[in-house]
Amino acid sequence: MRILVVEDEVDLARTLHTGLTAEGYSVDLAHDGRQGLWMARTGEYALVVLDLMLPGLNGYKICAQLRREGNATPILVLTAKDGEWDQAEALDTGADDYLAKPFSYLVLVARLRALARRSATAVPPVLAVGDLSLDVAGRVCRRAGVRVDLTPREFAVLELLARRAGQAVSKGDLLHHAWPDDAYDPNLVEVRVSSLRRKVDTAFGRQSLQTVRGTGYRLVDDRERE
Protein backbone atom coordinates (compact mmCIF):
# COMPACT_ATOMS: atom_id res chain seq x y z
CA MET A 1 0.00 0.00 0.00
CA ARG A 2 1.40 3.39 -1.02
CA ILE A 3 1.18 6.41 1.32
CA LEU A 4 2.03 10.06 0.72
CA VAL A 5 3.34 12.01 3.74
CA VAL A 6 3.26 15.80 3.34
CA GLU A 7 5.26 17.20 6.27
CA ASP A 8 7.70 20.13 6.35
CA GLU A 9 9.43 19.04 9.58
CA VAL A 10 12.18 17.02 7.92
CA ASP A 11 13.13 14.96 10.99
CA LEU A 12 9.50 14.01 11.65
CA ALA A 13 8.96 13.18 7.98
CA ARG A 14 11.99 10.89 8.01
CA THR A 15 10.81 9.22 11.22
CA LEU A 16 7.39 8.59 9.70
CA HIS A 17 8.99 7.26 6.56
CA THR A 18 11.16 4.83 8.52
CA GLY A 19 8.34 3.66 10.77
CA LEU A 20 5.70 3.23 8.07
CA THR A 21 8.16 1.52 5.74
CA ALA A 22 8.93 -0.95 8.51
CA GLU A 23 5.19 -1.64 8.70
CA GLY A 24 5.29 -2.71 5.05
CA TYR A 25 3.97 0.48 3.44
CA SER A 26 5.61 2.26 0.52
CA VAL A 27 6.03 5.89 1.54
CA ASP A 28 6.66 9.02 -0.54
CA LEU A 29 7.56 12.35 1.09
CA ALA A 30 6.76 15.95 0.21
CA HIS A 31 8.04 18.87 2.30
CA ASP A 32 5.91 21.75 1.02
CA GLY A 33 2.28 22.24 0.09
CA ARG A 34 2.62 22.74 -3.65
CA GLN A 35 4.75 19.64 -4.07
CA GLY A 36 2.34 17.68 -1.88
CA LEU A 37 -0.68 18.75 -3.94
CA TRP A 38 1.07 17.84 -7.19
CA MET A 39 2.09 14.42 -5.88
CA ALA A 40 -1.39 13.71 -4.47
CA ARG A 41 -2.86 14.56 -7.86
CA THR A 42 -0.46 12.48 -9.94
CA GLY A 43 0.35 9.52 -7.70
CA GLU A 44 -1.84 6.52 -6.99
CA TYR A 45 -1.91 6.70 -3.20
CA ALA A 46 -4.08 4.67 -0.87
CA LEU A 47 -3.70 7.28 1.92
CA VAL A 48 -2.33 10.78 2.51
CA VAL A 49 -0.87 11.99 5.82
CA LEU A 50 -1.01 15.78 5.68
CA ASP A 51 0.34 18.54 7.91
CA LEU A 52 -1.74 21.73 8.05
CA MET A 53 0.94 24.38 8.40
CA LEU A 54 3.01 23.97 5.25
CA PRO A 55 5.10 26.38 3.19
CA GLY A 56 3.71 27.28 -0.23
CA LEU A 57 0.18 25.98 0.32
CA ASN A 58 -1.41 25.01 3.61
CA GLY A 59 -3.12 21.71 4.34
CA TYR A 60 -6.62 23.22 4.39
CA LYS A 61 -6.23 24.39 0.80
CA ILE A 62 -4.77 21.07 -0.30
CA CYS A 63 -7.74 19.18 1.16
CA ALA A 64 -10.25 21.54 -0.41
CA GLN A 65 -8.57 21.46 -3.83
CA LEU A 66 -8.33 17.68 -3.95
CA ARG A 67 -11.98 17.29 -3.03
CA ARG A 68 -13.05 19.88 -5.63
CA GLU A 69 -11.21 17.84 -8.24
CA GLY A 70 -13.01 14.66 -7.19
CA ASN A 71 -9.95 13.09 -5.56
CA ALA A 72 -11.36 10.94 -2.75
CA THR A 73 -8.07 9.55 -1.39
CA PRO A 74 -8.43 9.28 2.43
CA ILE A 75 -6.56 12.09 4.23
CA LEU A 76 -5.28 11.98 7.81
CA VAL A 77 -4.38 15.45 9.05
CA LEU A 78 -1.36 15.50 11.35
CA THR A 79 -0.70 18.88 12.95
CA ALA A 80 0.36 20.90 15.97
CA LYS A 81 -2.85 22.97 15.68
CA ASP A 82 -4.97 21.27 18.31
CA GLY A 83 -7.91 23.67 18.73
CA GLU A 84 -11.42 22.38 18.12
CA TRP A 85 -11.96 25.04 15.44
CA ASP A 86 -8.84 23.86 13.62
CA GLN A 87 -10.04 20.28 13.81
CA ALA A 88 -13.51 21.22 12.56
CA GLU A 89 -12.10 23.24 9.67
CA ALA A 90 -9.80 20.41 8.59
CA LEU A 91 -12.69 17.93 8.56
CA ASP A 92 -15.01 20.39 6.82
CA THR A 93 -12.49 21.00 4.03
CA GLY A 94 -12.17 17.30 3.25
CA ALA A 95 -9.93 15.52 5.78
CA ASP A 96 -11.12 12.10 6.95
CA ASP A 97 -9.35 12.03 10.31
CA TYR A 98 -7.27 14.25 12.59
CA LEU A 99 -4.31 13.57 14.89
CA ALA A 100 -2.61 16.25 16.97
CA LYS A 101 1.13 16.50 17.60
CA PRO A 102 2.72 15.11 19.69
CA PHE A 103 1.04 11.85 18.80
CA SER A 104 1.28 8.15 19.53
CA TYR A 105 2.84 6.31 16.60
CA LEU A 106 0.79 3.24 17.56
CA VAL A 107 -2.41 5.28 17.27
CA LEU A 108 -1.29 6.79 13.96
CA VAL A 109 -0.78 3.36 12.38
CA ALA A 110 -4.10 2.10 13.79
CA ARG A 111 -5.93 5.10 12.33
CA LEU A 112 -4.32 4.58 8.94
CA ARG A 113 -5.47 0.96 8.98
CA ALA A 114 -8.97 2.08 9.93
CA LEU A 115 -9.06 4.60 7.08
CA ALA A 116 -7.94 1.95 4.61
CA ARG A 117 -10.62 -0.47 5.83
CA ARG A 118 -13.54 1.90 5.62
CA SER A 119 -12.64 3.83 2.52
CA ALA A 120 -14.59 2.92 -0.56
CA THR A 121 -11.72 4.20 -2.69
CA ALA A 122 -8.98 2.26 -0.92
CA VAL A 123 -7.49 -0.91 -2.32
CA PRO A 124 -9.78 -3.95 -2.28
CA PRO A 125 -10.02 -5.27 1.31
CA VAL A 126 -8.94 -8.74 0.15
CA LEU A 127 -6.80 -9.62 -2.86
CA ALA A 128 -7.38 -13.24 -3.92
CA VAL A 129 -5.43 -15.37 -6.39
CA GLY A 130 -6.87 -18.84 -6.25
CA ASP A 131 -6.88 -19.97 -2.64
CA LEU A 132 -4.18 -17.43 -1.71
CA SER A 133 -5.64 -14.28 -0.13
CA LEU A 134 -4.21 -11.03 1.20
CA ASP A 135 -6.12 -8.84 3.64
CA VAL A 136 -4.43 -5.57 2.67
CA ALA A 137 -5.75 -3.44 5.53
CA GLY A 138 -5.13 -6.10 8.19
CA ARG A 139 -1.80 -7.20 6.64
CA VAL A 140 -2.82 -10.86 6.83
CA CYS A 141 -1.99 -13.59 4.31
CA ARG A 142 -3.83 -16.91 4.06
CA ARG A 143 -3.43 -19.97 1.86
CA ALA A 144 -6.45 -22.32 1.73
CA GLY A 145 -7.73 -20.61 4.87
CA VAL A 146 -4.48 -21.16 6.79
CA ARG A 147 -2.72 -18.04 8.03
CA VAL A 148 0.80 -17.54 6.69
CA ASP A 149 3.13 -15.26 8.65
CA LEU A 150 5.00 -12.84 6.40
CA THR A 151 7.48 -10.06 7.10
CA PRO A 152 6.42 -6.54 6.03
CA ARG A 153 8.72 -6.70 2.97
CA GLU A 154 7.43 -10.13 1.97
CA PHE A 155 3.86 -8.88 2.26
CA ALA A 156 4.66 -5.82 0.12
CA VAL A 157 6.20 -7.98 -2.64
CA LEU A 158 3.30 -10.43 -2.60
CA GLU A 159 0.76 -7.59 -2.54
CA LEU A 160 2.04 -6.12 -5.81
CA LEU A 161 2.15 -9.55 -7.44
CA ALA A 162 -1.44 -10.17 -6.31
CA ARG A 163 -2.59 -6.81 -7.69
CA ARG A 164 -1.18 -7.81 -11.07
CA ALA A 165 -2.15 -11.46 -10.89
CA GLY A 166 -1.30 -13.35 -14.06
CA GLN A 167 1.00 -10.59 -15.29
CA ALA A 168 4.79 -10.51 -15.31
CA VAL A 169 6.04 -7.99 -12.75
CA SER A 170 9.60 -6.73 -13.14
CA LYS A 171 12.12 -6.80 -10.34
CA GLY A 172 12.38 -3.04 -10.75
CA ASP A 173 8.68 -2.56 -10.05
CA LEU A 174 8.89 -4.83 -7.02
CA LEU A 175 11.91 -2.92 -5.73
CA HIS A 176 10.15 0.42 -6.16
CA HIS A 177 7.05 -0.86 -4.39
CA ALA A 178 8.70 -2.58 -1.43
CA TRP A 179 11.95 -0.59 -1.14
CA PRO A 180 10.99 2.89 -2.48
CA ASP A 181 14.16 4.66 -1.34
CA ASP A 182 16.93 2.07 -1.68
CA ALA A 183 15.58 0.18 -4.67
CA TYR A 184 18.84 -0.65 -6.40
CA ASP A 185 19.77 -4.27 -5.74
CA PRO A 186 17.58 -6.93 -7.44
CA ASN A 187 18.97 -9.46 -4.97
CA LEU A 188 16.66 -7.91 -2.38
CA VAL A 189 13.68 -9.10 -4.43
CA GLU A 190 15.21 -12.51 -5.17
CA VAL A 191 15.76 -13.20 -1.47
CA ARG A 192 12.19 -12.22 -0.55
CA VAL A 193 10.67 -14.23 -3.41
CA SER A 194 12.68 -17.29 -2.36
CA SER A 195 11.34 -16.92 1.17
CA LEU A 196 7.80 -16.36 -0.11
CA ARG A 197 7.94 -19.52 -2.19
CA ARG A 198 8.85 -21.56 0.88
CA LYS A 199 5.99 -20.05 2.87
CA VAL A 200 3.09 -19.82 0.39
CA ASP A 201 3.97 -22.51 -2.17
CA THR A 202 6.33 -25.24 -0.94
CA ALA A 203 4.63 -25.54 2.44
CA PHE A 204 1.33 -26.22 0.64
CA GLY A 205 2.65 -28.24 -2.31
CA ARG A 206 1.85 -25.40 -4.73
CA GLN A 207 3.62 -23.55 -7.57
CA SER A 208 1.79 -20.23 -7.89
CA LEU A 209 4.80 -17.91 -7.70
CA GLN A 210 6.51 -18.23 -11.06
CA THR A 211 9.77 -16.86 -12.43
CA VAL A 212 9.49 -15.01 -15.76
CA ARG A 213 12.94 -15.23 -17.30
CA GLY A 214 14.47 -11.91 -18.21
CA THR A 215 11.67 -9.98 -16.49
CA GLY A 216 10.75 -10.88 -12.94
CA TYR A 217 7.90 -12.86 -11.39
CA ARG A 218 4.24 -13.70 -11.83
CA LEU A 219 1.57 -14.89 -9.38
CA VAL A 220 -1.04 -17.27 -10.81
CA ASP A 221 -3.84 -19.57 -9.69
CA ASP A 222 -1.95 -22.82 -10.14
CA ARG A 223 -5.08 -24.85 -9.41
CA GLU A 224 -6.15 -24.25 -13.02
CA ARG A 225 -3.57 -26.87 -14.04
CA GLU A 226 -4.92 -29.51 -11.72
Side-chain angles (χ1 to χ4, degrees):
M1 184 182 297
R2 200 159 197 85
I3 296 177
L4 172 63
V5 174
V6 188
E7 171 60 65
D8 65 327
E9 294 182 36
V10 176
D11 289 343
L12 176 57
R14 288 174 178 167
T15 297
L16 289 172
H17 182 280
T18 300
L20 292 173
T21 299
E23 294 287 336
Y25 297 106
S26 293
V27 183
D28 290 340
L29 298 179
H31 298 300
D32 67 74
R34 297 190 186 281
Q35 180 191 25
L37 177 59
W38 179 81
M39 292 176 69
R41 283 169 165 167
T42 58
E44 296 182 1
Y45 295 103
L47 299 163
V48 175
V49 177
L50 178 67
D51 189 19
L52 286 183
M53 304 308 293
L54 294 164
L57 195 68
N58 67 44
Y60 298 117
K61 292 181 179 179
I62 292 173
C63 282
Q65 185 64 33
L66 289 174
R67 297 317 186 214
R68 278 196 298 269
E69 295 172 358
N71 187 319
T73 302
I75 298 173
L76 171 66
V77 165
L78 187 66
T79 179
K81 295 173 68 65
D82 193 23
E84 60 182 21
W85 289 103
D86 300 311
Q87 181 175 351
E89 185 176 357
L91 296 173
D92 286 342
T93 54
D96 297 276
D97 202 354
Y98 185 103
L99 193 58
K101 302 175 185 176
F103 59 89
S104 161
Y105 179 74
L106 183 65
V107 172
L108 169 67
V109 173
R111 290 195 178 190
L112 290 176
R113 287 197 299 263
L115 282 176
R117 283 196 300 269
R118 69 174 181 253
S119 172
T121 60
V123 292
V126 176
L127 300 172
V129 182
D131 61 356
L132 179 66
S133 66
L134 293 177
D135 178 345
V136 177
R139 318 300 288 176
V140 174
C141 172
R142 288 186 173 85
R143 167 72 91 180
V146 178
R147 180 162 179 160
V148 180
D149 292 328
L150 302 179
T151 68
R153 298 290 194 191
E154 290 169 349
F155 193 97
V157 169
L158 193 60
E159 178 188 350
L160 184 59
L161 290 168
R163 289 185 189 284
R164 301 185 189 176
Q167 302 176 29
V169 182
S170 71
K171 292 180 183 178
D173 284 351
L174 290 166
L175 277 168
H176 182 64
H177 181 75
W179 294 267
D181 281 342
D182 52 347
Y184 305 107
D185 186 359
N187 288 327
L188 293 171
V189 174
E190 294 170 7
V191 170
R192 291 308 187 283
V193 169
S194 177
S195 177
L196 279 170
R197 279 200 174 112
R198 290 195 299 271
K199 292 181 178 182
V200 304
D201 274 352
T202 304
F204 295 87
R206 311 304 290 270
Q207 295 181 338
S208 60
L209 216 172
Q210 303 176 347
T211 298
V212 181
R213 293 191 180 279
T215 302
Y217 302 96
R218 174 172 51 218
L219 185 66
V220 301
D221 180 2
D222 63 329
R223 298 176 306 172
E224 296 174 356
R225 302 180 300 175
E226 296 176 353

